[in-house]
Amino acid sequence: ENPSPDDLFDVGTVASILKLIKMPDGSQSIVIQGRRRFRIKEYVQDDPYFVANVSPHDDLLEGDEIEVAARIRSIKELAVQIINLSPNLPSEAAYAIQNIESPSFLVHFIASNLPIELDDKQQLLEALSPLKRAEMVLEHLHQELQVLQLSEEIRSRVRSDVDQQQREFLLRQ
């Protein structure tokens, strides 16, 4: 309700509001697009809202473009596998992922949509190295893929067990 500067992260995202959506229950939701990362240098006002001096939180320039490209290819492949295994994600999302050309945009887009804890997302946001961020996203994608594969295996076993029980029941009839 009443946050203090200690309750806020030092690194955040400048974002533009793209759309305001009124929900059926009367609440509102917004669609935003991140523009760039920033780091808070100091708070200069706290009432009626916070105002801070900030500086850009830009990527470190790294020379190994081939390694970044390899990570991006792996991220795309894993993301497509996850989309194909996820019943809640439209198959068109795989096409969209494949057509994202900017490595930075791809990593940020996938990171923002990963079902991970807030602290993990914050670590991704704070990482200055694009290669490190890509590795972190890959690690989370691997974990998500393992969860989805295990879930699919469990669903398959349950279906098989139910089918077997139905056959046995029909044979007894």
Side-chain angles (χ1 to χ4, degrees):
E1 282 296 314
N2 297 308
S4 73
D6 292 337
D7 297 320
L8 303 174
F9 293 110
D10 291 334
V11 175
T13 305
V14 174
S16 297
I17 298 173
L18 299 179
K19 185 184 282 189
L20 175 66
I21 303 168
K22 295 184 192 245
M23 307 304 279
D25 66 359
S27 65
Q28 296 179 345
S29 186
I30 59 171
V31 177
I32 62 171
Q33 181 179 27
R35 295 290 185 194
R36 90 180 291 177
R37 296 176 300 156
F38 68 86
R39 177 175 290 281
I40 294 173
K41 295 191 315 192
E42 68 174 325
Y43 288 93
V44 294
Q45 175 183 315
D46 63 3
D47 190 42
Y49 48 81
F50 292 112
V51 175
N53 288 327
V54 300
S55 61
H57 192 68
D58 294 331
D59 288 345
L60 293 174
L61 296 177
E62 297 176 316
D64 201 345
E65 291 179 27
I66 293 173
E67 196 166 341
V68 171
R71 296 282 193 285
I72 294 303
R73 181 176 294 168
S74 295
I75 287 171
K76 284 184 177 186
E77 290 169 359
L78 279 175
V80 168
Q81 287 180 29
I82 289 169
I83 290 165
N84 291 334
L85 280 174
S86 298
N88 302 333
L89 297 175
S91 58
E92 296 82 23
Y95 182 74
I97 294 288
Q98 291 290 5
N99 286 305
I100 295 174
E101 301 215 2
S102 165
S104 178
F105 182 82
L106 176 74
V107 169
H108 289 140
F109 177 75
I110 290 177
S112 68
N113 288 289
L114 279 170
I116 59 176
E117 296 293 320
L118 178 63
D119 287 340
D120 292 328
K121 287 189 179 192
Q122 186 65 29
Q123 285 180 351
L124 283 163
L125 185 66
E126 292 180 9
L128 288 172
S129 163
L131 188 58
K132 175 70 173 162
R133 241 185 349 270
E135 288 175 13
M136 293 166 73
V137 166
L138 267 173
E139 183 179 313
H140 289 298
L141 287 171
H142 276 291
Q143 290 171 356
E144 181 65 14
L145 183 60
Q146 288 175 336
V147 167
L148 286 168
Q149 287 171 333
L150 185 56
S151 295
E152 181 59 33
E153 186 179 309
I154 291 168
R155 277 194 299 275
S156 180
R157 263 190 271 144
V158 167
R159 269 193 306 266
S160 178
D161 289 349
V162 168
D163 289 347
Q164 179 66 31
Q165 289 172 5
Q166 286 176 343
R167 281 192 294 276
E168 289 173 4
F169 176 77
L170 290 172
L171 288 174
R172 282 183 272 167
Q173 296 298 321

